[in-house]
Every structure is written in C-alpha cells, then in structure tokens.
Amino acid sequence: IGVDGVLNRGKRKTPAGILALLLGGAGVHKFYLGNWGIGIIYLVSCFFMPGVSAVIGVVEAIRIFTLSDVAFNDKYNYQNLKPFEVMW
C-alpha cells in the first residue's frame, strides 16, 4: 500500500518504456500509466509538432527505463494520479 493508501495499480516499467519509445509522441504511454490528461495534450501536440513530440517520447522512454523498479512503483503504481499531473 502506497502513500495515499493506494494498492498496486499493476503498471509495469517495460511496457511503459516501450510504448514511450514507439508511440510516445502520441502520448500512448501516458494513457497506459493512467495520466490521460497529459496523454491528450501529447496526442493533440503530435499533430502540430510531430518531431518535437517524438523527441519528447524518446526522452521519456529513456527516463522510464533508467528509473529503478522501486522509483517506478512509487511514482506510477502507488499513487493516485490526477489527469493533468506532471510526473517527472
């Protein structure tokens, strides 16, 4: 049980990283992680700035892959995420 009394949400680091690497420009990894508000922003921005969105997706993939398992679980599995909360 996490800080907010949240049970493990079951999100895994490897699928999140792969989604960020392959489809991160469209925000698919944000939808997977439950942060749908930021995912919508990514999705809209990928139509107006596709190159920038793709680079940000790759950067986020690197960040996700370099997080320890404990840090990933603390950020994404044991917290209630708000739709437009930025989790860096």
Side-chain angles (χ1 to χ4, degrees):
I1 296 180
V3 177
D4 297 330
V6 177
L7 296 175
N8 188 327
R9 296 174 55 237
K11 303 302 179 185
R12 296 182 328 193
K13 184 169 108 170
T14 302
I18 291 171
L19 287 171
L21 186 62
L22 299 178
L23 301 169
V28 174
H29 63 296
K30 293 295 187 180
F31 289 106
Y32 172 74
L33 292 170
N35 202 347
W36 61 267
I38 301 296
I40 290 172
I41 292 171
Y42 272 71
L43 189 60
V44 170
S45 70
C46 82
F47 290 107
F48 298 107
M49 302 178 295
V52 174
S53 295
V55 169
I56 292 172
V58 170
V59 169
E60 288 219 12
I62 292 168
R63 183 187 57 82
I64 289 170
F65 282 129
T66 58
L67 280 174
S68 70
D69 290 338
V70 171
F72 180 84
N73 283 329
D74 287 346
K75 284 184 176 207
Y76 298 110
N77 280 326
Y78 294 113
Q79 288 191 34
N80 279 325
L81 294 178
K82 295 171 185 67
F84 292 96
E85 182 177 5
V86 176
M87 295 293 295
W88 184 255

